[in-house]
Structure formats: C-alpha cells, structure tokens
Amino acid sequence: MTVVETKKVAGNFVDEEIRELIKCERMKRGWSYEELGKRLGVSASYIFRLEKGQRQNPSTKVLKALCELFDIDPGRVLLMEPHVLTIKGKTINMDVIHETFELILNMDVDKTSEVLVLLERINAIQNS
C-alpha cells in the first residue's frame, strides 16, 4: 500500500483532499449543500461540516455513496483517507484495516485455517 501523508486539522477529522473533492464535485454540478445531502441521505449541515473540516470522517456508507454519485474510483478516495481510524476511543492503523479487509475478500470461509487467521487478526486489533 502506498503511504500518503495527510493534512489533517486534528486527529480524526476529514482529510483536506477529501474535503476538496466533495466541494469540487458538488460545485461542478451546481448543487447546494441541501441537494447533495438529499442525494446522499444526510443533512445539509453534515455536508457543510464535512467540507469545512468540522465533521469527523464520513462513514464508509457515505464515502461509497459519494463515489457512486460522483463516479469516482473508491481506490482514489482510499488513498486520501487518514492513516488511522478512531472508533470508540480506540485508534487503529488504516493499513491494518485494509490488510484485514483484503484477507476477508480473499478468504475461503470453508477453510477453517483461514477463518482462524481472521479471528486472530480481529483479536489482535481488539487487544492492541
């Protein structure tokens, strides 16, 4: 995985590149915060705060919807994401999340050994 430095305002706030992408794509279409919010199923305030860097990183669901709506390769957005994710006060390196996700995508659930590797990975994340 390519390491990309992020320009974060604070620990887990939206990366500047993602903010600019959202704003640029919204403005290119002439959409208001309200219009983009409706299309994504979120409030205008949510969009405003994302663009201004006042909102924590959008959920995977919102990022996926943005990629589909703006016809953007999700891989491009993944390279923009911060390198850590904070959930319930626990900080997890994004490389670990990507590796685990790759493991899930490629695993054969009928092979006990592969399921055990996944369980070990999850346990390591929970105990880190």
Side-chain angles (χ1 to χ4, degrees), residues 14-85:
V14 180
D15 178 81
E16 185 177 333
E17 289 178 273
I18 294 175
R19 292 193 330 247
E20 287 301 316
L21 176 69
I22 294 168
K23 181 177 180 179
C24 179
E25 292 293 331
R26 178 183 63 80
M27 293 180 76
K28 183 167 49 174
R29 288 163 176 77
W31 293 345
S32 64
Y33 297 118
E34 292 80 12
E35 179 66 25
L36 179 55
K38 282 180 192 175
R39 291 173 184 263
L40 295 174
V42 297
S43 69
S45 170
Y46 181 91
I47 300 300
F48 175 83
R49 291 189 328 254
L50 279 177
E51 286 186 11
K52 300 299 180 189
Q54 300 169 353
R55 174 76 170 83
Q56 290 187 348
N57 289 326
S59 68
T60 305
K61 180 180 175 182
V62 170
L63 281 176
K64 181 180 176 188
L66 280 166
C67 289
E68 289 173 3
L69 183 63
F70 294 148
D71 194 31
I72 297 170
D73 176 16
R76 177 178 170 204
V77 175
L78 285 176
L79 290 175
M80 294 178 185
E81 288 183 351
H83 289 282
V84 295
L85 177 66

Side-chain angles (χ1 to χ4, degrees), residues 56-115:
Q56 290 187 348
N57 289 326
S59 68
T60 305
K61 180 180 175 182
V62 170
L63 281 176
K64 181 180 176 188
L66 280 166
C67 289
E68 289 173 3
L69 183 63
F70 294 148
D71 194 31
I72 297 170
D73 176 16
R76 177 178 170 204
V77 175
L78 285 176
L79 290 175
M80 294 178 185
E81 288 183 351
H83 289 282
V84 295
L85 177 66
T86 303
I87 302 173
K88 295 183 180 180
K90 185 176 198 76
T91 300
I92 306 167
N93 185 303
M94 287 303 294
D95 289 338
V96 172
I97 292 171
H98 290 162
E99 290 168 8
T100 304
F101 190 65
E102 187 76 26
L103 176 67
I104 292 167
L105 288 176
N106 294 315
M107 75 183 289
D108 181 348
V109 294
D110 293 327
K111 291 185 178 176
T112 305
S113 61
E114 292 187 20
V115 174

Side-chain angles (χ1 to χ4, degrees), residues 7 12 29 41 75:
K7 304 168 212 124
N12 56 355
R29 288 163 176 77

